[in-house]
């Protein structure tokens, strides 16, 4: 069974940086031709879950929400079954629970409903 576990959240002042990690288990990123697209979403209280960033499998192509473009970087290490989200120049509006998501044998998507596998989330709080 696929499991995703996020870590690295915390409290940071505006302008600061954090690096989120997502550890995948229960499958291999290079097993029998299967591949997984990996993404980060976030959800603030009272808001819907929103797309942050996604990285494709084959070429490592990345896409970002406009609100984080130029500040956040998504990356993956297939050998370690890890996905990362480097966040810089954080703003109070970045405060949310951040979720790692994965989908098997799919292209990159910005829609939460396209992902079957989710982590439990990690809280990021940015103080002004």
């Amino acid at each position: 069974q696929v499991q995703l576990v996020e870590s690295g959240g915390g409290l940071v002042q505006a302008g600061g940086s954090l690096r989120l990690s997502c550890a995948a288990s229960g499958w291999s990123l290079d097993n029998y031709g299967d591949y997984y697209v990996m993404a980060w979403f976030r959800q603030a209280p009272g808001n819907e879950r929103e797309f942050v960033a996604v990285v494709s499998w084959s070429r490592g192509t990345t896409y970002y929400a406009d609100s984080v473009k130029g500040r956040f970087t998504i990356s993956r290490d297939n050998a370690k079954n890890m996905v990362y989200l480097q966040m810089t120049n954080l703003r109070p509006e970045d405060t949310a629970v951040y979720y790692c998501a994965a989908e098997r044998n799919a292209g990159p998507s910005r829609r939460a409903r396209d992902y079957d596998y989710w982590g439990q989330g990690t809280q990021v709080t940015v103080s002004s």
Side-chain angles (χ1 to χ4, degrees):
Q1 181 161 347
V2 175
Q3 288 190 328
L4 303 174
V5 179
E6 303 94 336
S7 61
L11 173 64
V12 64
Q13 289 187 334
S17 300
L18 281 175
R19 187 196 194 203
L20 305 183
S21 299
C22 173
S25 62
W27 45 275
S28 170
L29 290 172
D30 192 22
N31 184 35
Y32 305 113
D34 282 348
Y35 61 92
Y36 292 83
V37 62
M38 305 293 294
W40 288 94
F41 288 78
R42 67 186 182 186
Q43 188 167 18
N47 291 353
E48 292 185 355
R49 192 165 297 188
E50 66 172 356
F51 167 77
V52 175
V54 61
V55 57
S56 69
W57 164 255
S58 58
R59 298 183 179 182
T61 304
T62 57
Y63 299 97
Y64 297 91
D66 288 344
S67 59
V68 307
K69 200 173 296 182
R71 300 187 298 122
F72 291 10
T73 302
I74 187 171
S75 62
R76 63 190 301 165
D77 185 335
N78 291 345
K80 297 181 179 179
N81 284 3
M82 296 291 294
V83 177
Y84 306 98
L85 185 68
Q86 179 68 49
M87 305 184 294
T88 63
N89 192 20
L90 283 160
R91 305 167 180 169
E93 54 263 39
D94 294 319
T95 295
V97 177
Y98 283 70
Y99 296 91
C100 177
E103 182 57 31
R104 188 171 63 96
N105 296 342
S109 172
R110 298 170 182 254
R111 300 180 302 190
R113 65 175 183 267
D114 288 339
Y115 294 84
D116 286 335
Y117 307 109
W118 292 87
Q120 82 290 347
T122 184
Q123 176 71 47
V124 172
T125 303
V126 184
S127 63
S128 57

